[in-house]
Amino acid sequence: MKKKKNDFLFLIIINPCFILLDEIDSGIDFNSFYFITNYLNSIKKTKYIIIITHDKKINKFLFVDFYILIRNQKIDILSCL
């Protein structure tokens, strides 16, 4: 849990224009998850963010523009705009 928080803190410090995150919701408590999703929502206008997750409920906290769904060797792009 601490490693994931440190990785995210490093992400804030280096301030990249492209962010790729894998399973941001695993291994952290709700307060940390809430902080991360709020931060990502606040920077999404100026960054390219890709999040890989298996949790369908993440969209309650993270406001995304597109979903890419991979199922049965088929890729669907779903717009949320």
Side-chain angles (χ1 to χ4, degrees), residues 6 9 12 18 22-23 27 29 37 45-47 51 54-55 57-58 60 66-67 71 76-78 80:
N6 289 340
L9 179 61
I12 292 171
F18 178 80
D22 183 25
E23 297 291 336
D29 57 27
T37 54
K45 296 288 185 194
T46 60
K47 310 282 184 199
I51 298 173
H54 295 97
D55 188 4
K57 295 178 274 185
I58 199 168
K60 292 180 181 178
F66 296 96
Y67 288 102
R71 184 178 14 184
D76 293 323
I77 299 176
L78 309 169
C80 298

Side-chain angles (χ1 to χ4, degrees), residues 5 9 11 14 25 30-32 44 53 59 62-63 69 72 77-78:
K5 288 180 183 179
L9 179 61
L11 178 74
I14 62 170
D25 52 341
F30 181 76
N31 290 334
S32 299
K44 75 176 218 154
T53 185
N59 65 347
L62 196 58
F63 307 115
L69 180 65
N72 298 330
I77 299 176
L78 309 169

Side-chain angles (χ1 to χ4, degrees), residues 39-51:
Y39 177 75
L40 292 174
N41 284 329
S42 70
I43 66 166
K44 75 176 218 154
K45 296 288 185 194
T46 60
K47 310 282 184 199
Y48 297 100
I49 304 170
I50 295 177
I51 298 173

